[in-house]
Amino acid sequence: GAGVSQSPRYKVAKRGQDVALRCDPISGHVSLFWYQQALGQGPEFLTYFQNEAQLDKSGLPSDRFFAERPEGSVSTLKIQRTQQEDSAVYLCASSLIGGTSGRGYNEQFFGPGTRLTVL
Amino acid sequence: KQEVTQIPAALSVPEGENLVLNCSFTDSAIYNLQWFRQDPGKGLTSLLLIQSSQREQTSGRLNASLDKSSGRSTLYIAASQPGDSATYLCAVSGWDSNYQLIWGAGTKLIIKP
């Protein structure tokens, strides 16, 4: 079956430009996650959606970062006024259900990522 | 604050060898620990998941162990093959928000034919 897809796969932006990164989760998956992975580092959590509700955005590095999932399926991560430090791979993951304390855990399936380079 | 460390950062071994990758974490109160494989341009694939109540998990040539008291996990790969070449990452989750994975920086593994 189809996995998590992300587009574009590569994005080059000039400093100051706005960018939008798209994630198509696995059909029927309730939860969706965004991660940022700098070169040579592990991913870092950005935000978490359960259906259309953004339940956790504690990892967003600044107010230039904004994520939405208006219909509970496709999600978009928007970065305004990009800076060079935003250069990274942005990973999206989805899971059948999300987890909170005591409610079980579902495996997260990852997309291939979008590599953003800000010049 | 939970911190995850993986040593070594890179490892190169001849084909056929058994090898061990290490992962350590600072807070032993984890919900679970996972090992992932990352191939260039292909995202992350979950290899093994160990719940906090478990000591180990096995899948084929892979065996992962968990020692919460010492804050350590190891990934054992038996009879390594060139196709095992990839970056291996471990990630832990906590009880308060078990969806939020805290990651190590990974070990880049190269298996030489």
Side-chain angles (χ1 to χ4, degrees):
Chain A
V4 178
S5 61
Q6 294 186 243
S7 61
R9 293 293 310 280
Y10 303 91
K11 177 68 179 179
V12 178
K14 292 182 179 179
R15 189 175 61 178
Q17 281 185 332
D18 298 348
V19 298
L21 313 180
R22 177 187 169 109
C23 173
D24 285 82
I26 294 173
S27 178
H29 277 196
V30 168
S31 297
L32 185 144
F33 311 83
W34 283 100
Y35 294 86
Q36 179 190 58
Q37 185 176 22
L39 187 65
Q41 301 298 315
E44 292 194 0
F45 170 83
L46 294 178
T47 187
Y48 159 51
F49 288 86
Q50 194 165 92
N51 295 307
E52 69 279 5
Q54 189 174 22
L55 299 187
D56 187 343
K57 54 181 181 179
S58 62
L60 295 176
S62 77
D63 58 8
R64 296 186 295 104
F65 287 71
F66 173 76
E68 60 183 7
R69 194 186 185 198
E71 297 180 356
S73 55
V74 171
S75 177
T76 303
L77 176 66
K78 298 179 179 178
I79 309 173
Q80 298 176 325
R81 304 181 304 281
T82 53
Q83 304 294 315
Q84 285 187 325
E85 61 262 30
D86 300 334
S87 295
V89 175
Y90 290 85
L91 296 166
C92 175
S94 70
S95 71
L96 189 57
I97 60 173
T100 55
S101 180
R103 292 189 182 181
Y105 176 85
N106 263 218
E107 180 181 358
Q108 296 181 25
F109 295 86
F110 285 80
T114 294
R115 180 177 297 278
L116 173 65
T117 302
V118 181
L119 303 176
Chain B
K1 178 184 176 184
Q2 178 72 271
E3 293 183 1
V4 180
T5 304
Q6 292 187 247
I7 295 174
L11 182 63
S12 179
V13 301
E15 179 179 4
E17 282 199 5
N18 303 324
L19 58 98
V20 174
L21 306 181
N22 297 293
C23 172
S24 61
F25 45 95
T26 55
D27 185 349
S28 62
I30 62 171
Y31 184 80
N32 62 33
L33 182 145
Q34 290 185 87
W35 283 93
F36 289 83
R37 169 180 173 144
Q38 187 168 34
D39 294 278
K42 294 186 179 180
L44 289 149
T45 302
S46 179
L47 298 173
L48 291 164
L49 184 154
I50 310 177
Q51 299 288 0
S52 62
S53 59
Q54 297 174 323
R55 298 280 296 181
E56 67 176 346
Q57 284 286 335
T58 299
S59 176
R61 294 182 294 108
L62 305 179
N63 175 275
S65 67
L66 174 64
D67 184 346
K68 282 196 309 178
S69 61
S70 65
R72 293 183 178 181
S73 175
T74 61
L75 179 66
Y76 175 83
I77 303 176
S80 58
Q81 303 171 357
D84 295 332
S85 298
T87 297
Y88 290 81
L89 297 104
C90 70
V92 300
S93 64
W95 285 89
D96 290 338
S97 52
N98 62 12
Y99 54 83
Q100 192 173 125
L101 300 177
I102 310 298
W103 300 77
T107 295
K108 184 174 183 179
L109 177 64
I110 297 174
I111 307 299
K112 297 174 290 187

